[in-house]
């Protein structure tokens, strides 16, 4: 409908949300960036990862899926990364505003983000589906079973062995080893086919039954920051829900790709702009 973050469009969004019975939030990587955790931010990287700057890197994004490192290097990096993006991030203004915006309405959140920021900011775990995994869990790399573990004790061991200068582990014994087979481990996030998704199947089932219960209600689908990197994870499911749910309206907020397919254009609002300003304007 409109590509501008015009006041009349904002007013329309505010009215839609206010009059809705329920809200579905679809969150992509753009929301993490809007909340202040930007994997391409070179300033933050220089500040938090000085040891990795010395090795020639300039942003976290370069080390996502990076294959050319030893185990002590990889887990040294991940110790700092997890500490910064997972353990240190708690209350966040943008997520708090979003939580207030939803208020007492029924809601369900589907997010591609693995940082658990929704849960940390007052959204109920029972109403969140995170199909890409969680930084709070760790799995066997192969994997040898469908088991996953709480990452905390592994993280604590690594932190004790972290060399603050090089940001590499100074002790091989601190490298996480699978309690079952002794093999290598990785954070329980979807990077390839070895991802263990069992922990999230219950979340998926809860979302399905939530949709079943609420399908005829007046629903606002608020999708934020889900572009074309992995459109099948959030963007396309939100489009499908817009088609399926008879009384739904999609609000798509995206910096570069706010467009919607022709078939759902009549029940969609495109906001091409910054998520942070959008939420702030509405709250
Ligand atoms: Zn194993």
């Amino acid at each position: 409908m409109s590509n501008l973050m015009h006041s009349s469009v904002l007013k329309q969004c505010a009215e839609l949300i206010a009059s809705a019975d329920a809200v579905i939030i679809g969150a992509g990587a753009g929301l993490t960036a809007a909340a202040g955790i930007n994997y391409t931010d070179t300033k933050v990287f220089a500040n938090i990862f000085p040891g990795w700057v010395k090795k020639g890197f300039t942003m976290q994004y370069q080390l996502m899926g990076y294959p050319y490192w030893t185990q002590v290097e990889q887990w040294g990096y991940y110790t700092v990364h997890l500490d910064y993006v997972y353990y240190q991030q708690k209350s966040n203004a943008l997520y708090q505003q979003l939580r207030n915006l939803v208020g007492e309405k029924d809601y369900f959140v589907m997010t591609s983000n693995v940082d658990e920021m929704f849960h940390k900011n007052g959204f109920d775990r029972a109403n969140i589906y995170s199909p890409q995994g969680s930084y709070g869990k760790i799995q066997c790399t192969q994997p040898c079973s469908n088991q996953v573990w709480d990452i905390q004790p592994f993280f604590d061991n690594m932190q004790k062995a972290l060399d603050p200068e090089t940001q590499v582990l100074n002790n091989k014994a601190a490298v996480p080893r699978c309690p079952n087979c002794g093999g290598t481990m990785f954070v329980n996030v979807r990077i390839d086919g070895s991802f263990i998704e069992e922990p999230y199947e219950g979340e998926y089932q809860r979302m399905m039954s939530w949709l079943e219960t609420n399908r005829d209600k007046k629903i606002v689908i608020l999708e934020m920051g889900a572009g074309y990197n992995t459109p099948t994870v959030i963007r396309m499911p939100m489009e499908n829900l817009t088609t399926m749910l008879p009384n739904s309206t999609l609000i798509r907020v995206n910096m570069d790709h706010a467009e919607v397919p022709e078939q759902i254009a009549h029940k969609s609002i495109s906001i091409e702009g910054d998520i942070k300003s959008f939420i702030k304007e509405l709250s």
Side-chain angles (χ1 to χ4, degrees):
M1 287 170 101
S2 173
N3 282 335
L4 298 166
M5 207 184 289
H6 195 266
S7 62
S8 67
V9 180
L10 285 171
K11 195 164 167 247
Q12 196 188 353
C13 292
E15 283 168 3
L16 262 172
I17 294 170
S19 66
D21 302 314
V23 180
I24 295 171
I25 293 178
L31 183 63
T32 303
I37 310 293
N38 190 338
Y39 285 22
T40 62
D41 191 326
T42 52
K43 261 190 202 157
V44 167
F45 190 85
N47 193 22
I48 305 213
F49 297 89
W52 288 88
V53 170
K54 284 186 201 137
K55 291 184 247 305
F57 298 95
T58 57
M59 59 179 79
Q60 282 166 282
Y61 190 74
Q62 294 170 325
L63 287 143
M64 303 309 292
Y66 182 72
Y68 308 110
W69 47 15
T70 62
Q71 289 267 294
V72 286
E73 286 171 338
Q74 179 183 17
W75 285 109
Y77 172 78
Y78 268 95
T79 303
V80 184
H81 175 77
L82 287 169
D83 190 32
Y84 169 53
V85 305
Y86 184 69
Y87 287 108
Q88 285 180 31
Q89 304 298 328
K90 292 180 180 105
S91 176
N92 178 285
L94 181 63
Y95 280 89
Q96 295 283 339
Q97 284 163 1
L98 198 53
R99 183 67 196 86
N100 291 337
L101 191 63
V102 173
E104 296 302 307
K105 290 179 198 301
D106 228 325
Y107 65 86
F108 211 98
V109 174
M110 184 172 171
T111 175
S112 66
N113 300 320
V114 296
D115 50 19
E116 298 192 17
M117 287 302 279
F118 281 98
H119 171 63
K120 290 175 180 175
N121 286 278
F123 289 86
D124 192 334
R125 227 187 249 288
N127 294 62
I128 302 170
Y129 174 37
S130 56
Q132 303 300 81
S134 166
Y135 274 155
K137 299 187 181 83
I138 190 167
Q139 66 162 86
C140 175
T141 310
Q142 330 178 18
C144 67
S145 77
N146 283 341
Q147 201 175 348
V148 299
W149 292 265
D150 183 347
I151 205 166
Q152 182 85 58
F154 296 90
F155 175 78
D156 291 345
N157 271 340
M158 292 192 287
Q159 243 193 353
K160 281 179 218 144
L162 185 72
D163 182 320
E165 282 286 308
T166 61
Q167 299 186 306
V168 170
L169 301 186
N170 59 24
N171 180 0
K172 265 189 175 170
V175 168
R177 288 279 157 201
C178 173
N180 288 340
C181 73
T184 59
M185 302 186 87
F186 195 63
V187 190
N188 182 220
V189 300
R190 193 189 298 272
I191 45 163
D192 58 30
S194 65
F195 172 61
I196 296 174
E197 50 194 353
E198 273 72 6
Y200 313 98
E201 276 171 6
E203 297 178 355
Y204 173 76
Q205 293 305 336
R206 280 196 292 278
M207 186 169 91
M208 289 299 115
S209 66
W210 186 93
L211 288 169
E212 192 59 40
T213 308
N214 293 286
R215 61 162 290 127
D216 293 321
K217 286 187 183 164
K218 192 174 177 198
I219 297 178
V220 166
I221 300 171
L222 180 55
E223 181 207 89
M224 292 162 291
Y228 288 111
N229 270 348
T230 51
T232 53
V233 181
I234 301 295
R235 191 176 173 100
M236 284 161 64
M238 292 305 129
E239 291 174 0
N240 293 340
L241 285 176
T242 308
T243 304
M244 275 166 47
L245 301 168
N247 299 310
S248 66
T249 308
L250 172 69
I251 301 176
R252 169 166 280 165
V253 192
N254 199 291
M255 201 69 112
D256 309 301
H257 304 289
E259 66 275 10
V260 295
E262 189 61 39
Q263 312 88 279
I264 53 167
H266 63 286
K267 52 192 306 203
S268 304
I269 300 175
S270 296
I271 309 276
E272 196 157 287
D274 175 45
I275 298 166
K276 200 173 171 178
S277 328
F278 174 76
I279 299 294
K280 201 176 166 198
E281 287 292 329
L282 288 192
S283 28

